[in-house]
């Protein structure tokens, strides 16, 4: 019970807020009170509800309504399932009621707020470039007038550009002026046409900006994503998805393309990751963790801090990984091929028809426009590829393919908790170890990675001592395996250390743990280090 200033008991209180109350930073405010020794509970919540009469002049505001009470209690969660007549004085809103413990994200059931960001995913995901200057975007013909093809080196600074609509509809075939790394004086001397263009079309807009850094550095992007660029270096392609889109689609983009601020980038070229992200398991996770701007799945926003950073990717054998890679390559290639062959097709159009098929609509029941998309887009093949991918990803997790959303979420949260505990012990399942360990890894991991790249000496003058620290033992065993591509048995590994057979049991324990986590392979006697793809 809560006491007011006058001493009277306040048993319940409630709020009407925007529906953003269920998003990440707001959850952090509520969570300590819901999990305290003397907790409060949400006893009623409507997480997403229309606020005002919908017309052309009204803001599209969505609200949440919550009621809290002292103690640990179940609550009534009321979710909007349909809404009509919002532009009238008599709207009709249907609610589905569920009873249970209401979490800080205004859900009942699995507490998604328990999931924490994983080191394994660190440094790979970011939003794209935020320009803050429309004059930075130019057509190909304008780029040629600015010196592209004539001024040496300019091809590094005028690059292809994509925004969300370019990916979901048809590309505009535009380019962007990216002068990061150059001083304004260098641009004027080396690329005078570009300098004059920026001076005329970008600087006046930046001069009116309230942020000093935008005004002072008017020739470069407002947010050039300095943390993302190193992750994209040397990659031939990367994974991209539109932050807010009707259908959650991941695809490969060529490394030459710069992404817009409304595109979420995953800096990886591995089709295994593309396949997992494109699966139903990740879609369920994304929908549950996304920021919502309406009641429909298509209104969900892919927030990388909740949808990507905590997501536990499966650790599985090479055969299952390769199967996912192949299906994902086929999926990405199929979509790109039909879009290139038929200019009336769009990614949104393809998935609109696929969604209709998934709800049970037969191809013969499609209207003429949908049937044209179905035929030209070979949508049954698209459907088959997604179904094969869903089965392959479920197999990689070791789960049944027909799990419902609640079961999927419960397993993913549990797996996230397991991974967090592993990472506390120093065992990280890096998605791009060659890149991530150098930037974010522990000293032991960096040393093991360095030693793995060095040639083995012809003869060691003195054997090293096997460490006593768990993390150092892991690094020592991995370093020893890294120098022997064909693998070693436990006795041979123990012989590399001064203590010899006395540490063979400890080495076997380390090998067993590394094998369970997929870092090493084995047969009857031999252990070997798995190489990153």
């Amino acid at each position: 019970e809560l006491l007011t200033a006058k001493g009277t008991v306040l048993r319940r209180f409630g709020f009407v807020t925007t529906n953003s109350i269920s998003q990440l930073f707001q959850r952090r405010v509520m969570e300590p009170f819901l999990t305290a020794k003397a907790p409060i509970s949400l006893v009623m919540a409507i997480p997403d509800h229309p606020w005002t009469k919908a017309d052309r002049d009204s803001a599209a505001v969505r609200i949440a309504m919550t009621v809290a009470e002292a103690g640990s209690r179940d609550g009534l969660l009321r979710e909007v399932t349909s809404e009509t007549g919002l532009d009238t004085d008599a709207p009709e809103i249907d609610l589905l009621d569920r009873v249970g413990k209401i979490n800080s994200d205004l859900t009942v059931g699995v507490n998604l707020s328990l999931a924490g960001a994983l080191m394994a995913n660190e440094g790979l995901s970011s939003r794209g470039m935020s320009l803050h200057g429309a004059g930075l975007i130019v057509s190909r013909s304008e780029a040629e007038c600015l010196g592209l093809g004539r001024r040496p080196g300019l091809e590094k600074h005028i690059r292809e550009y994509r925004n969300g609509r370019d990916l979901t509809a048809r590309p505009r075939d535009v380019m962007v002026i990216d002068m990061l790394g150059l001083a304004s004086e260098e641009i004027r001397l080396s690329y005078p046409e570009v300098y004059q263009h920026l001076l005329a079309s970008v600087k006046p807009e930046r001069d009116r900006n309230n942020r000093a850094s935008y005004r002072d550095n008017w020739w470069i992007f407002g947010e050039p994503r300095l943390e993302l660029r190193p992750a994209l270096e040397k990659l031939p392609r990367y994974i991209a998805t539109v932050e807010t889109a009707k259908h959650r689609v991941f695809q490969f983009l060529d490394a030459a393309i710069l992404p817009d601020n409304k595109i979420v980038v995953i800096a990886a070229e591995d089709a295994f990751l593309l396949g997992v992200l494109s699966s139903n398991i990740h879609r369920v996770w994304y929908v549950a963790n996304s920021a919502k701007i309406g009641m429909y799945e298509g209104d969900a926003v892919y927030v990388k801090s909740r949808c990507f950073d905590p997501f536990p990717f499966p650790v599985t054998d090479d055969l299952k990984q390769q199967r996912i890679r192949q299906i994902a390559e086929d999926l990405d290639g199929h979509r790109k091929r039909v879009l290139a062959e038929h200019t009336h097709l769009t990614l949104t159009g393809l998935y609109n028809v696929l969604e209709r098929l998934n709800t049970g609509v037969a191809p013969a029941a499609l209207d003429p426009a949908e049937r044209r998309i179905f035929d030209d887009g070979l949508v049954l093949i698209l459907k088959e590829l997604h179904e094969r991918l869903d089965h392959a990803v479920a197999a990689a997790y070791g789960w049944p393919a027909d799990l419902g959303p609640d079961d999927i979420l419960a397993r993913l949260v549990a797996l996230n908790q397991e991974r967090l505990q592993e990472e506390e012990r120093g065992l990280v399942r890096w998605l791009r170890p060659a890149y991530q360990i150098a930037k974010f890894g522990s000293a032991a991991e960096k040393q093991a990675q360095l030693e793995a790249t060095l040639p083995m000496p012809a003869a060691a003058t003195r054997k090293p001592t096997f460490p006593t620290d768990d993390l150092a033992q892991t690094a020592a065993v991995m370093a020893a395996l890294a120098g022997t591509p064909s693998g070693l048995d436990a006795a041979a590994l123990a012989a590399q250390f001064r203590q010899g057979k006395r540490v063979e049991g400890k080495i076997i324990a380390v090998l067993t743990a590394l094998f369970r986590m997929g870092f090493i392979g084995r047969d009857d006697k031999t252990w070997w280090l798995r190489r990153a793809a």
Side-chain angles (χ1 to χ4, degrees):
E1 294 183 340
L2 303 175
L3 296 178
T4 68
K6 295 183 179 180
T8 58
V9 176
L10 175 65
R11 299 185 182 278
R12 288 186 172 187
F13 63 92
F15 293 104
V16 176
T17 66
T18 65
N19 65 351
S20 62
I21 192 174
S22 63
Q23 295 180 19
L24 177 61
F25 292 104
Q26 289 83 343
R27 295 179 203 170
R28 290 176 179 171
V29 174
M30 290 192 289
E31 189 69 23
F33 295 98
L34 300 180
T35 58
K37 290 183 178 179
I40 63 171
S41 297
L42 295 172
V43 293
M44 194 285 294
I46 303 177
D48 186 80
H49 195 283
W51 174 238
T52 58
K53 182 177 179 180
D55 56 46
R56 286 186 299 178
D57 299 322
S58 64
V61 176
R62 311 281 302 186
I63 63 166
M65 292 172 270
T66 50
V67 176
E69 183 176 323
S72 181
R73 295 174 172 79
D74 284 347
L76 175 65
L77 181 70
R78 315 198 70 193
E79 297 178 286
V80 175
T81 57
S82 68
E83 50 190 41
T84 57
L86 298 185
D87 57 348
T88 71
D89 292 325
E92 296 184 9
I93 298 173
D94 293 327
L95 299 168
L96 174 67
D97 292 347
R98 300 173 64 190
V99 176
K101 186 71 174 178
I102 300 179
N103 304 314
S104 61
D105 59 354
L106 304 190
T107 62
V108 165
V110 181
N111 189 356
L112 297 170
S113 63
L114 295 176
L118 297 171
M119 281 295 297
N121 302 12
E122 180 73 17
L124 296 186
S125 182
S126 170
R127 295 169 73 179
M129 313 299 157
S130 184
L131 303 189
H132 293 274
L136 292 163
I137 300 176
V138 295
S139 66
R140 289 188 181 273
S141 59
E142 288 173 326
E144 291 172 1
C145 292
L146 295 177
L148 186 63
R150 293 185 293 108
R151 299 286 184 184
L154 189 54
E155 68 279 357
K156 298 177 183 178
H157 300 287
I158 298 185
R159 301 171 57 183
E160 290 189 57
Y161 190 65
R162 297 286 189 276
N163 67 8
R165 187 174 292 275
D166 290 327
L167 300 190
T168 59
R170 303 293 300 188
R172 296 165 294 165
D173 195 29
V174 298
M175 307 188 81
V176 67
I177 301 170
D178 179 19
M179 289 292 161
L180 183 66
L182 298 181
S184 60
E185 185 69 9
E186 292 179 88
I187 303 171
R188 185 180 65 81
L189 294 174
S190 300
Y191 311 118
E193 297 90 351
V194 174
Y195 182 83
Q196 176 163 294
H197 172 82
L198 296 175
L199 201 64
S201 63
V202 177
K203 190 174 187 301
E205 180 179 343
R206 289 289 189 86
D207 286 343
R208 297 191 296 272
N209 198 290
N210 291 329
R211 188 174 297 185
S213 62
Y214 290 178
R215 295 194 304 271
D216 297 341
N217 302 294
W218 52 268
W219 60 94
I220 63 175
F221 301 159
E223 298 295 339
R225 304 303 180 205
L226 298 179
E227 76 288 353
L228 172 64
R229 290 175 184 256
L232 294 177
E233 284 181 7
K234 300 179 182 179
L235 287 181
R237 62 185 183 180
Y238 58 88
I239 300 169
T241 188
V242 182
E243 186 180 53
T244 306
K246 184 176 181 182
H247 306 286
R248 180 54 49 207
V249 178
F250 294 84
Q251 61 184 289
F252 280 127
L253 291 186
D254 189 275
I257 297 172
L258 275 178
D260 177 76
N261 184 53
K262 294 300 182 182
I263 293 176
V264 178
V265 172
I266 292 90
E269 61 171 317
D270 190 353
F272 170 71
L273 300 185
L274 177 70
V276 175
L277 291 168
S278 301
S279 70
N280 178 62
I281 285 177
H282 185 69
R283 186 194 66 80
V284 169
W285 174 265
Y286 139 72
V287 171
N289 282 281
S290 63
K292 297 285 185 67
I293 55 176
M295 61 170 286
Y296 302 106
E297 181 179 324
D299 297 320
V301 180
Y302 195 88
V303 181
K304 79 103 179 173
S305 61
R306 289 306 302 167
C307 299
F308 181 81
D309 292 348
F311 181 72
F313 284 80
V315 173
T316 188
D317 60 62
D318 292 341
L319 186 61
K320 289 187 176 71
Q321 284 193 39
Q322 192 55 36
R323 175 164 176 74
I324 291 171
R325 284 192 185 96
Q326 187 57 61
I327 300 171
E329 294 281 13
D330 290 346
L331 175 64
D332 194 60
H334 174 77
R335 294 182 306 213
K336 286 180 167 63
R337 184 168 54 254
V338 297
L339 290 172
E341 291 173 353
H342 303 281
T343 57
H344 72 91
L345 294 178
T346 66
L347 207 55
T348 297
L350 290 175
Y351 278 87
N352 282 343
V353 174
L354 177 60
E355 187 177 71
R356 293 267 283 154
L357 298 180
N358 287 337
T359 60
V361 176
L366 298 172
D367 66 37
E370 292 171 331
R371 183 68 199 210
R372 186 184 180 201
I373 294 172
F374 173 85
D375 290 334
D376 291 347
L378 303 173
V379 178
L380 276 184
I381 295 177
L382 181 66
K383 185 175 189 295
E384 181 185 74
L385 288 170
H386 272 289
E387 289 170 350
R388 289 172 55 197
L389 190 60
D390 290 343
H391 280 78
V393 172
Y397 280 102
W399 301 344
D402 58 352
L403 287 176
D406 289 344
D407 283 338
I408 289 173
L409 291 174
R411 290 175 183 236
L412 287 172
V413 170
L415 187 55
N416 170 273
Q417 298 298 291
E418 180 183 317
R419 297 281 175 83
L420 288 172
Q421 292 173 10
E422 290 174 352
E423 291 184 353
E424 286 183 3
R425 298 195 299 267
L427 296 171
V428 181
R429 303 172 186 269
W430 301 103
L431 298 182
R432 271 184 67 193
Y435 169 73
Q436 291 173 293
I437 289 176
K439 291 185 70 69
F440 312 111
S442 66
E445 287 174 311
K446 291 176 181 178
Q447 180 64 25
Q449 186 181 65
L450 175 63
E451 292 176 358
T453 64
L454 297 176
M456 289 295 289
T461 58
R462 185 176 180 182
K463 292 181 180 180
T465 300
F466 191 68
T468 57
D469 173 72
D470 289 347
L471 182 58
Q473 288 178 356
T474 300
V477 171
M478 292 182 72
L481 288 174
T484 55
S486 59
L488 293 171
D489 60 23
L493 280 166
Q496 295 192 21
F497 299 96
R498 191 182 307 170
Q499 298 96 319
K501 193 167 182 62
R502 287 179 294 160
V503 295
E504 187 173 333
K506 294 180 179 179
I507 287 175
I508 290 174
V510 173
L511 290 170
T512 302
L514 290 171
F515 175 73
R516 284 201 306 266
M517 291 181 292
F519 287 115
I520 62 175
R522 66 170 297 181
D523 53 26
D524 290 341
K525 293 183 178 180
T526 306
W527 311 75
W528 62 87
L529 187 66
R530 292 187 186 277
R531 305 291 174 175

